[in-house]
Amino acid sequence: MTGYLVRRLLESALILLGITFVTFVLLYMVPADPARQIAGRSATAATVANIRDQLGLNDPLLVQYGRYLAGLLQGDMGRSYLQRAEVSTLIAARLPASLMLMVTAIVTELVIGLTIGVVAALRRNRAADHSLMIFSFVAISAPQFVIGILLLYVFAVQLGWFPIGGYGTPAHFVLPSITLGLLGAGWYSRMMRSSMIEVLGQDLVRTARAKGLSRLRIVTRHVMPNAILPIIAMIGIDIGLFMSGIVVVESVFGWPGIGQLAWQAIQRVDIPVIMGVTMVSATAIVLGNLLADLVAPLIDPRIKTK
Amino acid sequence: MSAPIDPPSAAPVRRAGRGRAREVVGELLRRPRALFGLAVIVLLVLAAILAPWIMPHDPFEQSFDGLDLMGAPLPPGGEHPLGTDLLGRDLASRLILGTRTSLIIGVVANGIAVILGAGVGITAGYAGGWTAAILMRFTDLMMAFPALLLAIVLAAIFQPSLMIVALVIAMVNWVQMSRVIYTETRSLAEREFIQVQRAIGSGPLRILGRHLLPHLLSSIIVFGTLGISTTVLLEATLSYLGVGVQPPVPSWGNIIFENQTYFSTAPWLVFFPGLLIVLLALAFNLVGDALRDILDPTLKGRH
């Protein structure tokens, strides 16, 4: 297990290194001139050249990359071109909002997804099952910006139950969490349904029934705990979905998180900030996958950790 | 002297051919969900092909009568069955033309992703060793990339035309396919009938084409179908963010992008395009899921 852990950690570090390189090269190719943007429209050519020089933008790609990497290893992600702040400060200020949204979204998707999965499995092949599965299919087929805008229209504009966007009170969390969590709820309900059906067919259920346990007790004490385990192992993988999702959801709801930060930075070609958010997201995804890989053998000992 | 041993062939699949295809289609038509999906796909494909004849108005014409006296878009009904957009253009006509955009991107982007993903997967799975290590580490790397951020950055680098958008989406979406195909190819490559082919000296291309590909076809079809849904959603999202298909060319995503400031007073401008995006993605998800059930009941997983 220790050997496996070390190997996976090394692999993860290599993947992150690869991501810094690919992102850096991609952003190097962006046709906008950061120096010109910092200097402003009225700046003279000499000023622009001066700024280029200061930022080291005239150096060859590999030199620039080396410098970035050296900084990154010391926890320095550089300074924003357009806001007078360190990238790490900007991200740190925005990260809590995104993390809290992700936590509420995970809770939302688990509650909706697992409930649907359990009910559908117990009502297998009946009307309730069919309608719930159609709901799941719609949930995984609906783009988040459409769900977000429609939820805003119905529950904020028409009914006035929730604020039209922004951040602060618990009420602000409801619509963005549902928007971000619905996709996962669709996947989880389908996985939970098949996982439940699988467990329901196992011997332990027959034994429990032979012992004379009530149906409710069998389902809550014996079937559900067994069925949920393989699904818990997948939560780490969700982080990837969320990292794409927050860019859209935060822009629909005006949520002050790192998704919005990334989106604003991309529109203004603020390269250090784009780099920073990409690295933070990639790190979260890599850690999520690592977590999923480490949890899986604990839950199912048949999975070998070679 | 004994007779030469016939190499065990890929019997269950080789029998396949046209009969099997007809069987699969028949099975699809018996399933209500898949049938609904197929019906939606056929309808939308027809709408895309017949667009010039069925559009009620010119989708680019900013008609003077298309806005009310206050300059606001017209609600559905009368002259404009689905209303007009913020420039007074007929929404129904723009949506019909947008069907073309979605389907073209869906087919082209997903086609490239399938070829690339299957190509990388088969090569890595069959070659093994260093080739596999390098290709699959690269796939891991792409998987850890925040997909949407990557797509947005790529779209920002290249001025987004229809084909660039398709390429960007393909660059992001091939990874899934390559993982699946790699795993399958690797387990196939160790099976007897492939070992025998290697032993009797069949060239790699012959083995790939005649013996591996037929076995991988099920997965390619299933994940290729589901992939169209992912592609359609990604195109809509990119266009909604303004870095996908550029106006005035209509796409369902950029129609919402253009009109979103009006959503509280003119919700139909979000509702109808949104409905179409969901319907198209849903259709391919339903058909893909049914195909998975029919072609390979042992296939599981999230995608």
Side-chain angles (χ1 to χ4, degrees), chain B residues 22-35:
Chain B
R22 198 174 297 151
E23 226 173 86
V24 170
V25 173
E27 185 67 32
L28 271 184
L29 294 176
R30 265 196 294 280
R31 294 165 185 245
R33 281 184 212 160
L35 189 62

Side-chain angles (χ1 to χ4, degrees), chain A residues 15 18 23 26 30-31 130 133 137 141 143 145 149 153 187 190 198 234 238 241 244 248 252 263 266 281 285-286, chain B residues 33 141 144-148 150 152 157 233 236-237 240-241 256 263-264 267 277 281-282 285-286 289 300 302:
Chain A
I15 286 179
T23 318
L26 281 179
V30 173
H130 289 303
M133 282 305 107
F137 270 109
S141 309
F145 65 94
I149 295 176
Y153 178 72
W187 288 116
R190 299 181 55 198
E198 203 182 311
M234 305 292 294
D238 276 359
L241 288 182
S244 287
V248 175
V252 171
W263 177 228
I266 287 167
S281 313
I285 294 174
V286 168
Chain B
R33 281 184 212 160
L141 196 153
F145 240 103
L148 191 62
L150 177 63
I152 295 174
I157 295 176
L233 292 177
T237 303
Y240 164 73
L241 290 173
I256 298 181
F263 87 91
S264 56
I277 299 168
L282 179 66
N285 269 331
L286 290 173
D289 192 67
K300 270 189 185 166
R302 290 162 67 105

